[in-house]
Every structure is written in structure tokens, then in C-alpha cells.
Amino acid sequence: MTTIRASGIEPGQRRLNGPQTTGREYRNLSQPTHAMTRDDDVPVPMRDGIKLLADVHRPAEPGRHPVLIAASPYPRQIRI
């Protein structure tokens, strides 16, 4: 059996989700400055009437914050 080293799995490390973290070592990550909240399976209406489901990760505090959008053809359930 092969051991795969992944970042964010040791106690006290920031959790990094997804297969992109496998085999990588992340050093000197900045500490989070905001508490985060997560909403899973939020329906997002498209122009054609279809609703796609999204997981939304955002700061818990109200206010204006920058937005990052990630899209993938792979299932959102892929997690380590």
C-alpha cells in the first residue's frame, strides 16, 4: 500500500479540501482572519430555468468581501 502525504490533515493544520492537495506540502500559510460559514446545496437559478447546486463558503461576519468562484465538471463530494 502506498502512503500519500496530504496537507491539512494533521491536528492544528488548516484543512485544505480536494484532490489537488494530495502530495503537496503547503508552508507558511497565513492564519485565517475571519470565521467562516458554509451553506451546502444552495440552488443557483440559470437563465434556462435549471437550478445548479453550489456549496457557498463565506465569512460569518456581515459586510462586503471579495468573491472567488470555482467550477468543475467533477462531483462536489470529492473530499479527503
Side-chain angles (χ1 to χ4, degrees):
M1 174 153 77
T2 304
T3 301
I4 298 175
R5 297 183 66 204
S7 295
I9 58 173
E10 298 297 323
Q13 290 182 339
R14 285 179 58 193
R15 179 157 171 77
L16 301 171
N17 287 333
Q20 72 277 4
T21 62
T22 302
R24 295 184 184 176
E25 287 191 38
Y26 292 90
R27 296 185 184 121
N28 302 320
L29 291 175
S30 61
Q31 292 301 312
T33 56
H34 298 283
M36 299 296 290
T37 185
R38 176 178 168 169
D39 300 318
D40 290 336
D41 299 327
V42 176
V44 180
M46 300 290 112
R47 290 183 295 204
D48 62 359
I50 293 292
K51 291 183 183 173
L52 301 178
L53 297 180
D55 294 339
V56 179
H57 302 258
R58 59 185 167 80
E61 299 86 17
R64 294 175 58 100
H65 301 279
V67 175
L68 297 175
I69 297 175
S72 173
Y74 301 104
R76 294 176 296 109
Q77 293 77 17
I78 296 177
R79 296 197 175 112
I80 328 181

XYZ file of all heavy atoms in Angstrom:
627
model
N 0.844 -1.177 0.000
C 0.000 0.000 0.000
C 0.890 1.241 0.000
O 1.860 1.314 0.727
C -0.906 -0.012 1.215
C -1.679 1.254 1.316
S -3.224 1.204 2.144
C -3.103 1.167 3.771
N 0.561 2.235 -0.819
C 1.317 3.465 -0.925
C 0.748 4.511 0.017
O -0.459 4.701 0.081
C 1.252 4.009 -2.365
O 1.725 3.007 -3.251
C 2.078 5.253 -2.511
N 1.627 5.177 0.752
C 1.193 6.251 1.632
C 1.271 7.562 0.861
O 2.306 7.883 0.277
C 2.095 6.336 2.877
O 2.026 5.092 3.559
C 1.650 7.467 3.786
N 0.178 8.290 0.841
C 0.129 9.584 0.166
C 0.090 10.666 1.229
O -0.777 10.659 2.095
C -1.108 9.691 -0.749
C -1.033 8.632 -1.837
C -1.199 11.078 -1.360
C -2.254 8.564 -2.715
N 1.046 11.594 1.147
C 1.069 12.689 2.106
C 0.168 13.808 1.611
O 0.221 14.179 0.450
C 2.495 13.206 2.275
C 3.410 12.138 2.843
C 4.777 12.660 3.083
N 4.689 13.655 4.139
C 5.583 14.629 4.295
N 6.583 14.740 3.478
N 5.456 15.495 5.278
N -0.664 14.320 2.469
C -1.571 15.408 2.105
C -1.512 16.483 3.173
O -1.328 16.191 4.349
C -2.996 14.892 1.953
N -1.641 17.727 2.755
C -1.625 18.845 3.690
C -2.974 19.016 4.358
O -4.004 18.654 3.802
C -1.268 20.139 2.951
O 0.033 20.058 2.451
N -2.964 19.586 5.540
C -4.198 19.926 6.227
C -4.874 18.779 6.938
O -6.037 18.872 7.278
N -4.149 17.676 7.176
C -4.786 16.544 7.844
C -4.260 16.322 9.253
O -4.813 15.545 10.007
C -4.630 15.249 7.026
C -3.162 14.925 6.787
C -5.386 15.347 5.711
C -2.922 13.588 6.128
N -3.188 17.016 9.616
C -2.630 16.877 10.957
C -3.370 17.813 11.918
O -3.886 18.855 11.513
C -1.135 17.210 10.952
C -0.310 16.292 10.073
C -0.337 14.859 10.542
O -0.348 14.617 11.765
O -0.363 13.959 9.681
N -3.432 17.464 13.213
C -4.084 18.340 14.187
C -3.460 19.739 14.171
O -2.243 19.876 14.125
C -3.832 17.641 15.521
C -3.577 16.212 15.161
C -2.923 16.240 13.815
N -4.305 20.749 14.153
C -3.846 22.132 14.172
C -3.575 22.722 12.798
O -3.367 23.921 12.672
N -3.570 21.916 11.735
C -3.355 22.436 10.391
C -4.669 22.916 9.798
O -5.728 22.404 10.131
C -2.768 21.365 9.470
C -1.356 20.985 9.765
C -0.847 19.959 8.765
O -1.613 19.267 8.119
N 0.461 19.854 8.650
N -4.572 23.904 8.928
C -5.764 24.341 8.207
C -6.165 23.255 7.237
O -5.344 22.659 6.568
C -5.471 25.619 7.429
C -5.397 26.822 8.327
C -5.093 28.072 7.561
N -6.091 28.319 6.522
C -5.904 29.216 5.568
N -4.814 29.921 5.502
N -6.840 29.402 4.664
N -7.458 22.985 7.146
C -7.951 21.931 6.259
C -8.021 22.455 4.831
O -8.590 23.510 4.572
C -9.333 21.478 6.697
C -9.899 20.416 5.800
C -10.956 19.602 6.528
N -11.645 18.724 5.638
C -11.152 17.582 5.174
N -9.956 17.197 5.525
N -11.851 16.827 4.371
N -7.430 21.719 3.924
C -7.479 22.044 2.511
C -8.199 20.903 1.816
O -7.737 19.778 1.825
C -6.062 22.208 1.952
C -5.219 23.289 2.637
C -3.784 23.217 2.149
C -5.807 24.657 2.376
N -9.358 21.156 1.226
C -10.163 20.107 0.612
C -9.746 19.844 -0.828
O -9.278 20.719 -1.515
C -11.646 20.492 0.614
C -12.248 20.410 1.981
O -11.789 19.650 2.810
N -13.276 21.187 2.217
N -10.004 18.633 -1.261
C -9.880 18.291 -2.662
C -8.642 17.503 -2.996
O -7.668 17.497 -2.269
N -8.694 16.833 -4.128
C -7.566 16.007 -4.550
C -6.342 16.829 -4.926
O -5.253 16.306 -5.001
C -8.120 15.244 -5.759
C -9.261 16.057 -6.247
C -9.816 16.759 -5.046
N -6.507 18.133 -5.157
C -5.376 18.965 -5.540
C -4.358 19.105 -4.412
O -3.240 19.519 -4.650
C -5.838 20.358 -5.990
C -6.341 21.251 -4.883
C -7.781 21.017 -4.496
O -8.427 20.114 -4.998
N -8.313 21.806 -3.618
N -4.714 18.761 -3.189
C -3.781 18.886 -2.063
C -2.940 17.634 -1.869
O -1.966 17.654 -1.142
C -4.546 19.159 -0.754
O -5.400 18.062 -0.487
C -5.347 20.433 -0.842
N -3.264 16.544 -2.521
C -2.571 15.286 -2.324
C -1.125 15.395 -2.785
O -0.851 15.796 -3.899
C -3.272 14.153 -3.101
O -4.614 14.086 -2.655
C -2.598 12.827 -2.860
N -0.213 15.025 -1.896
C 1.199 15.006 -2.245
C 1.886 16.353 -2.200
O 3.056 16.458 -2.513
N 1.188 17.397 -1.813
C 1.797 18.729 -1.744
C 1.975 19.139 -0.294
O 1.171 18.801 0.558
C 0.918 19.767 -2.433
C 0.786 19.540 -3.896
C -0.014 20.650 -4.515
N -0.214 20.368 -5.926
C -0.941 21.110 -6.709
N -1.542 22.176 -6.250
N -1.077 20.806 -7.978
N 3.038 19.878 -0.044
C 3.242 20.436 1.281
C 3.102 21.945 1.177
O 3.804 22.583 0.400
C 4.629 20.075 1.807
C 4.744 18.635 2.216
C 6.033 18.369 2.969
O 6.445 19.239 3.762
O 6.611 17.312 2.736
N 2.187 22.503 1.944
C 1.981 23.942 1.957
C 2.641 24.495 3.211
O 2.354 24.060 4.316
C 0.486 24.275 1.949
C -0.179 23.904 0.639
C -0.730 22.642 0.454
C -0.232 24.808 -0.399
C -1.325 22.301 -0.749
C -0.831 24.474 -1.600
C -1.375 23.223 -1.769
O -1.955 22.883 -2.949
N 3.513 25.463 3.019
C 4.219 26.061 4.147
C 3.855 27.533 4.240
O 3.529 28.170 3.248
C 5.727 25.922 3.949
C 6.179 24.497 3.930
C 7.690 24.417 3.855
N 8.086 23.042 3.744
C 8.782 22.542 2.738
N 9.184 23.323 1.769
N 9.089 21.266 2.706
N 3.961 28.047 5.434
C 3.766 29.477 5.678
C 2.404 29.982 5.219
O 2.283 31.058 4.661
C 4.878 30.305 5.007
C 6.242 29.898 5.494
O 6.418 29.637 6.682
N 7.204 29.830 4.600
N 1.351 29.183 5.431
C 0.000 29.656 5.125
C -0.375 30.748 6.115
O -0.072 30.655 7.304
C -1.015 28.512 5.232
C -0.940 27.426 4.180
C -1.931 26.314 4.509
C -1.227 27.985 2.806
N -1.016 31.792 5.636
C -1.464 32.843 6.542
C -2.581 32.300 7.425
O -3.320 31.396 7.035
C -1.953 34.056 5.752
O -3.036 33.692 4.938
N -2.706 32.854 8.592
C -3.763 32.451 9.510
C -5.078 33.081 9.059
O -5.104 34.210 8.576
C -3.440 32.896 10.941
C -2.256 32.159 11.538
C -2.497 30.658 11.584
O -3.548 30.197 12.020
N -1.531 29.882 11.109
N -6.186 32.366 9.191
C -7.477 32.941 8.803
C -7.793 34.171 9.653
O -7.518 34.182 10.847
C -8.474 31.824 9.077
C -7.715 30.629 9.489
C -6.300 31.018 9.700
N -8.371 35.197 9.011
C -8.737 36.411 9.746
C -10.236 36.521 9.981
O -10.677 37.397 10.709
C -8.253 37.663 8.996
O -8.789 37.645 7.680
C -6.735 37.701 8.922
N -11.029 35.653 9.350
C -12.481 35.683 9.509
C -12.991 34.290 9.866
O -12.497 33.295 9.350
C -13.183 36.108 8.209
C -12.828 37.477 7.748
N -13.350 38.604 8.322
C -11.991 37.906 6.779
C -12.862 39.668 7.725
N -12.029 39.266 6.775
N -13.993 34.247 10.733
C -14.695 32.979 10.960
C -15.502 32.696 9.703
O -16.020 33.607 9.051
C -15.609 33.099 12.171
N -15.598 31.419 9.330
C -16.279 31.058 8.089
C -17.584 30.329 8.369
O -17.724 29.647 9.377
C -15.388 30.157 7.239
C -14.081 30.799 6.814
S -14.302 32.221 5.747
C -14.882 31.442 4.271
N -18.526 30.494 7.450
C -19.763 29.733 7.485
C -19.897 29.021 6.134
O -19.363 29.485 5.132
C -20.981 30.627 7.775
O -22.129 29.810 7.909
C -21.215 31.646 6.696
N -20.585 27.910 6.143
C -20.705 27.110 4.922
C -22.164 26.732 4.705
O -22.826 26.241 5.605
C -19.854 25.857 5.084
C -19.954 24.900 3.950
C -19.034 23.742 4.213
N -19.304 22.668 3.294
C -18.539 21.631 3.149
N -17.462 21.514 3.875
N -18.849 20.700 2.294
N -22.660 26.976 3.509
C -24.010 26.575 3.112
C -23.865 25.578 1.969
O -23.306 25.908 0.921
C -24.834 27.779 2.643
C -24.982 28.828 3.728
O -25.213 28.435 4.876
O -24.861 30.031 3.423
N -24.349 24.359 2.179
C -24.265 23.318 1.155
C -25.544 23.258 0.336
O -26.636 23.543 0.822
C -24.027 21.950 1.791
C -22.636 21.826 2.387
O -21.729 22.555 1.942
O -22.462 21.004 3.299
N -25.395 22.877 -0.910
C -26.521 22.643 -1.819
C -27.445 23.847 -1.959
O -28.662 23.745 -1.881
C -27.316 21.411 -1.379
C -26.463 20.155 -1.383
O -25.561 20.066 -2.240
O -26.696 19.274 -0.546
N -26.857 25.010 -2.191
C -27.632 26.231 -2.423
C -28.054 26.240 -3.892
O -27.211 26.169 -4.784
C -26.791 27.485 -2.106
C -27.551 28.754 -2.447
C -26.354 27.476 -0.652
N -29.370 26.288 -4.188
C -29.803 26.309 -5.585
C -29.482 27.653 -6.247
O -29.782 28.709 -5.696
C -31.313 26.079 -5.516
C -31.706 26.318 -4.110
C -30.475 26.255 -3.258
N -28.849 27.591 -7.414
C -28.500 28.793 -8.168
C -29.240 28.721 -9.504
O -28.956 27.852 -10.324
C -26.975 28.875 -8.406
C -26.615 30.125 -9.194
C -26.215 28.811 -7.085
N -30.217 29.621 -9.719
C -31.003 29.556 -10.961
C -30.186 30.012 -12.173
O -29.475 31.007 -12.110
C -32.171 30.507 -10.697
C -31.710 31.418 -9.619
C -30.679 30.681 -8.830
N -30.316 29.268 -13.260
C -29.670 29.611 -14.527
C -30.703 30.269 -15.449
O -31.898 30.218 -15.198
C -29.106 28.353 -15.195
C -28.079 27.603 -14.375
S -26.523 28.499 -14.236
C -26.517 28.918 -12.499
N -30.227 30.885 -16.530
C -31.131 31.580 -17.464
C -32.174 30.665 -18.073
O -33.282 31.097 -18.371
C -30.340 32.230 -18.589
C -29.523 33.420 -18.144
C -28.842 34.057 -19.309
N -27.863 33.118 -19.867
C -26.802 33.452 -20.563
N -26.569 34.710 -20.828
N -25.979 32.546 -21.005
N -31.828 29.389 -18.246
C -32.775 28.465 -18.885
C -33.748 27.832 -17.890
O -34.530 26.969 -18.252
C -32.030 27.379 -19.655
C -31.157 26.503 -18.760
O -31.114 26.739 -17.536
O -30.520 25.579 -19.301
N -33.697 28.265 -16.628
C -34.625 27.762 -15.626
C -34.084 26.612 -14.788
O -34.654 26.273 -13.760
N -32.987 26.014 -15.226
C -32.354 24.937 -14.456
C -31.724 25.522 -13.202
O -31.240 26.653 -13.210
C -31.264 24.242 -15.319
C -31.889 23.502 -16.479
C -30.380 23.325 -14.500
C -32.700 22.295 -16.080
N -31.723 24.767 -12.130
C -31.051 25.201 -10.904
C -29.877 24.272 -10.630
O -30.029 23.061 -10.565
C -32.019 25.167 -9.720
C -33.087 26.223 -9.828
C -33.990 26.224 -8.638
C -35.080 27.265 -8.842
N -36.093 27.210 -7.813
N -28.695 24.865 -10.532
C -27.495 24.123 -10.176
C -27.257 24.275 -8.683
O -27.589 25.314 -8.107
C -26.287 24.645 -10.956
C -26.385 24.588 -12.477
C -25.130 25.190 -13.097
C -26.585 23.159 -12.940
N -26.710 23.248 -8.055
C -26.432 23.311 -6.629
C -24.989 23.730 -6.397
O -24.074 23.265 -7.076
C -26.678 21.953 -5.968
C -28.122 21.455 -6.034
C -28.231 20.094 -5.352
C -29.068 22.445 -5.385
N -24.790 24.616 -5.430
C -23.452 25.118 -5.115
C -23.227 25.046 -3.613
O -24.168 25.131 -2.821
C -23.319 26.560 -5.586
N -21.974 24.871 -3.231
C -21.573 24.992 -1.830
C -20.980 26.386 -1.668
O -20.085 26.773 -2.421
C -20.523 23.945 -1.454
C -21.086 22.536 -1.502
O -22.318 22.384 -1.437
O -20.290 21.590 -1.600
N -21.485 27.149 -0.713
C -21.045 28.528 -0.519
C -20.256 28.614 0.789
O -20.763 28.266 1.851
C -22.256 29.499 -0.473
C -21.787 30.929 -0.245
C -23.075 29.393 -1.750
N -19.012 29.052 0.675
C -18.148 29.283 1.840
C -17.971 30.794 1.925
O -17.528 31.419 0.954
C -16.785 28.616 1.638
C -16.879 27.145 1.391
N -16.613 26.229 2.364
C -17.209 26.430 0.284
C -16.763 25.009 1.875
N -17.136 25.112 0.606
N -18.289 31.380 3.079
C -18.214 32.839 3.197
C -17.898 33.233 4.623
O -18.086 32.445 5.558
C -19.520 33.471 2.748
C -20.724 33.017 3.531
C -22.018 33.599 2.953
N -23.166 32.941 3.509
C -23.691 33.201 4.707
N -23.167 34.137 5.451
N -24.744 32.541 5.140
N -17.410 34.468 4.812
C -17.158 34.942 6.167
C -18.466 34.995 6.957
O -19.524 35.311 6.412
C -16.586 36.343 5.967
C -16.043 36.332 4.577
C -16.948 35.415 3.806
N -18.399 34.690 8.246
C -19.588 34.711 9.101
C -20.036 36.149 9.389
O -21.210 36.391 9.630
C -19.306 33.967 10.403
N -19.108 37.096 9.351
C -19.441 38.489 9.637
C -20.100 39.130 8.423
O -19.717 38.854 7.288
C -18.185 39.296 9.992
C -17.448 38.809 11.222
C -16.458 37.692 10.901
O -16.114 37.512 9.706
O -16.055 36.992 11.829
N -21.099 39.999 8.645
C -21.709 40.700 7.508
C -20.728 41.707 6.916
O -19.774 42.117 7.575
C -22.916 41.409 8.126
C -22.589 41.544 9.577
C -21.700 40.380 9.921
N -20.958 42.090 5.691
C -20.106 43.081 5.043
C -19.786 42.678 3.618
O -20.223 41.640 3.123
N -19.024 43.535 2.966
C -18.618 43.274 1.586
C -17.283 42.545 1.606
O -16.363 42.939 2.310
C -18.505 44.582 0.822
C -19.856 45.274 0.659
C -19.696 46.631 0.011
N -19.049 46.552 -1.276
C -19.671 46.581 -2.452
N -20.982 46.705 -2.483
N -19.008 46.511 -3.575
N -17.195 41.471 0.830
C -15.980 40.665 0.770
C -15.710 40.276 -0.679
O -16.645 40.137 -1.467
C -16.137 39.392 1.615
C -16.433 39.664 3.049
N -15.471 39.987 3.960
C -17.600 39.677 3.732
C -16.015 40.182 5.136
N -17.323 39.999 5.031
N -14.441 40.087 -1.051
C -14.139 39.619 -2.407
C -14.744 38.232 -2.646
O -14.967 37.476 -1.704
C -12.616 39.533 -2.436
C -12.139 40.269 -1.245
C -13.254 40.295 -0.257
N -14.993 37.904 -3.891
C -15.620 36.630 -4.246
C -14.686 35.831 -5.144
O -14.087 36.374 -6.068
C -16.952 36.876 -4.984
C -17.549 35.575 -5.461
C -17.921 37.621 -4.090
N -14.578 34.537 -4.858
C -13.875 33.599 -5.731
C -14.884 32.548 -6.164
O -15.645 32.048 -5.345
C -12.728 32.910 -4.990
C -11.613 33.803 -4.494
C -10.627 32.982 -3.671
C -10.899 34.473 -5.646
N -14.873 32.220 -7.436
C -15.783 31.194 -7.945
C -14.934 30.084 -8.550
O -14.016 30.348 -9.327
C -16.729 31.759 -9.019
C -17.617 32.839 -8.407
C -17.565 30.659 -9.646
C -18.499 33.547 -9.394
N -15.242 28.846 -8.178
C -14.545 27.689 -8.751
C -15.588 26.773 -9.370
O -16.603 26.476 -8.749
C -13.765 26.956 -7.672
N -15.337 26.363 -10.590
C -16.252 25.454 -11.278
C -15.483 24.217 -11.698
O -14.299 24.287 -12.018
C -16.862 26.137 -12.496
N -16.156 23.071 -11.672
C -15.506 21.824 -12.020
C -16.526 20.853 -12.602
O -17.679 20.836 -12.169
C -14.872 21.206 -10.776
O -14.378 19.922 -11.052
N -16.112 20.031 -13.556
C -17.023 19.016 -14.079
C -17.126 17.803 -13.151
O -17.909 16.905 -13.401
C -16.385 18.624 -15.414
C -14.934 18.860 -15.197
C -14.860 20.057 -14.287
N -16.327 17.793 -12.088
C -16.308 16.656 -11.175
C -17.285 16.863 -10.026
O -17.606 17.996 -9.672
C -14.896 16.429 -10.638
C -13.931 16.170 -11.756
C -13.053 17.149 -12.178
C -13.941 14.950 -12.428
C -12.187 16.914 -13.231
C -13.078 14.710 -13.467
C -12.197 15.692 -13.870
O -11.357 15.451 -14.911
N -17.749 15.794 -9.405
C -18.696 15.921 -8.290
C -18.111 16.734 -7.129
O -16.928 16.645 -6.833
C -18.934 14.476 -7.855
C -18.506 13.623 -8.983
C -17.447 14.390 -9.711
N -18.952 17.526 -6.502
C -18.520 18.343 -5.368
C -18.203 17.478 -4.154
O -17.559 17.926 -3.230
C -19.612 19.343 -4.988
C -19.862 20.375 -6.041
C -21.029 21.304 -5.687
N -22.289 20.564 -5.620
C -22.944 20.316 -4.476
N -22.512 20.758 -3.347
N -24.056 19.622 -4.491
N -18.652 16.244 -4.141
C -18.469 15.386 -2.988
C -17.070 14.804 -2.891
O -16.776 14.082 -1.956
C -19.484 14.232 -2.987
C -20.910 14.696 -2.771
C -21.526 15.305 -4.033
O -21.041 15.119 -5.142
N -22.597 16.061 -3.863
N -16.188 15.092 -3.839
C -14.823 14.582 -3.742
C -14.117 15.350 -2.640
O -13.870 16.538 -2.764
C -14.063 14.760 -5.076
C -14.710 13.946 -6.174
C -12.591 14.372 -4.904
C -14.064 14.121 -7.535
N -13.832 14.699 -1.536
C -13.164 15.315 -0.388
C -12.220 14.295 0.214
O -12.424 13.108 0.116
C -14.176 15.748 0.654
C -15.103 16.830 0.118
C -15.829 17.542 1.218
N -16.578 18.623 0.638
C -17.893 18.661 0.593
N -18.616 17.718 1.110
N -18.502 19.690 0.040
N -11.208 14.793 0.878
C -10.291 13.891 1.557
C -10.816 13.601 2.938
O -11.306 14.431 3.606
C -8.882 14.470 1.697
C -8.461 15.381 0.583
C -7.889 13.355 1.823
C -7.091 15.933 0.699
